Amino acid sequence: QVQLVESGGGLVQAGGSLRLSCATSGRTFSSCTMGWFRQAPGKEREFVAAVSWTGRNTNYAGSVKGRFTISRDVAKNTMYLQMNSLKPEDTAVYYCAADHAGAIWPSVSEFDYWGQGTQVTVSS
């Protein structure tokens, strides 16, 4: 069974940092493009960042560029999102996702595996 499990969410003050992790199991994710998305209450799910299967290529939403860093450890089948200089508007449920086709860069509908999400709350 394919599984993506996020962890690392929590409550942090504005200006603080958090590191999210996405552990994968059930298949080989080493050839997948991986991504992070988020969804705030009353809003649509939005793209945050993506990393290619090699880890050498990354893509970021403009709202997080320069503050968030996406990375992956293929040996550990784990992806990370380091979030610095957090703002209250970063508050959302964060989801990790995988595109088995390894596209650069897939649309949200092309991500075919999703985690359950982890809550990130940034207080002002």
Side-chain angles (χ1 to χ4, degrees), residues 6-115:
E6 303 94 338
S7 62
L11 173 64
V12 64
Q13 287 189 331
S17 298
L18 282 174
R19 188 175 84 152
L20 304 183
S21 298
C22 174
T24 67
S25 63
R27 65 157 289 161
T28 301
F29 282 89
S30 58
S31 60
C32 293
T33 295
M34 303 288 295
W36 287 99
F37 292 79
R38 67 187 181 186
Q39 188 166 18
K43 295 188 177 181
E44 292 189 354
R45 189 169 299 189
E46 65 172 358
F47 168 77
V48 175
V51 60
S52 64
W53 68 273
T54 63
R56 288 197 292 265
N57 301 98
T58 57
N59 189 30
Y60 296 93
S63 59
V64 307
K65 208 166 189 179
R67 300 188 297 122
F68 292 10
T69 302
I70 189 171
S71 61
R72 66 191 298 170
D73 186 329
V74 175
K76 294 182 178 179
N77 287 327
T78 302
M79 175 179 65
Y80 305 97
L81 185 69
Q82 177 66 43
M83 306 186 294
N84 299 328
S85 302
L86 282 161
K87 304 175 181 180
E89 51 264 43
D90 294 317
T91 295
V93 177
Y94 283 70
Y95 299 89
C96 67
D99 165 35
H100 81 280
I104 303 215
W105 296 103
S107 64
V108 62
S109 63
E110 292 176 297
F111 282 90
D112 34 17
Y113 300 107
W114 291 85

